[in-house]
Amino acid sequence: MTPGAKRVLEDLVADEDCDLAQEGLAVYCGTRRTNVRVLKELLELVAVSITFGSGNGLLKEKGPTYFGINDTGRALLRRPELEDELRRALYATPRRPFSIRNDRIILI
């Protein structure tokens, strides 16, 4: 995980009122600006989820989309080694369903 992505997760955990917000190419974590690459990385790792908004235009609404840290993001912060395991599970061929329990990948 890039340092920028880790910092965003840490900021989201540290302050429950902090959101990751995107409107167009502008992305903010609270009042600090970050970039779309960080948001894309966190979405690929399934570390954040949409909490409010248009879903990047999928619902044909205008305005910002807000993201919050989820259980996977918290697990990644607690156990950084989970990232490699998570990437292997996400990109496995054939892909098998899994869940994360006790910060470990469990195949279903």
Side-chain angles (χ1 to χ4, degrees), residues 88-105:
R88 280 194 298 274
L90 289 170
Y91 300 119
T93 305
R95 192 168 176 187
R96 294 181 55 196
F98 66 90
S99 66
I100 298 175
R101 291 191 200 125
N102 298 321
D103 302 340
R104 306 247 186 240
I105 299 287

Side-chain angles (χ1 to χ4, degrees), residues 7 9 13 16 22 37 43 48 56-57 64-65 70-71 74 85-87 90-92 99 105:
R7 181 175 176 191
L9 290 180
V13 165
E16 285 185 21
Q22 177 190 23
R37 289 182 307 229
L43 288 170
V48 294
N56 296 324
T65 301
N70 57 29
D71 290 339
R74 287 182 183 85
E85 298 168 18
L86 182 58
R87 286 188 190 274
L90 289 170
Y91 300 119
S99 66
I105 299 287

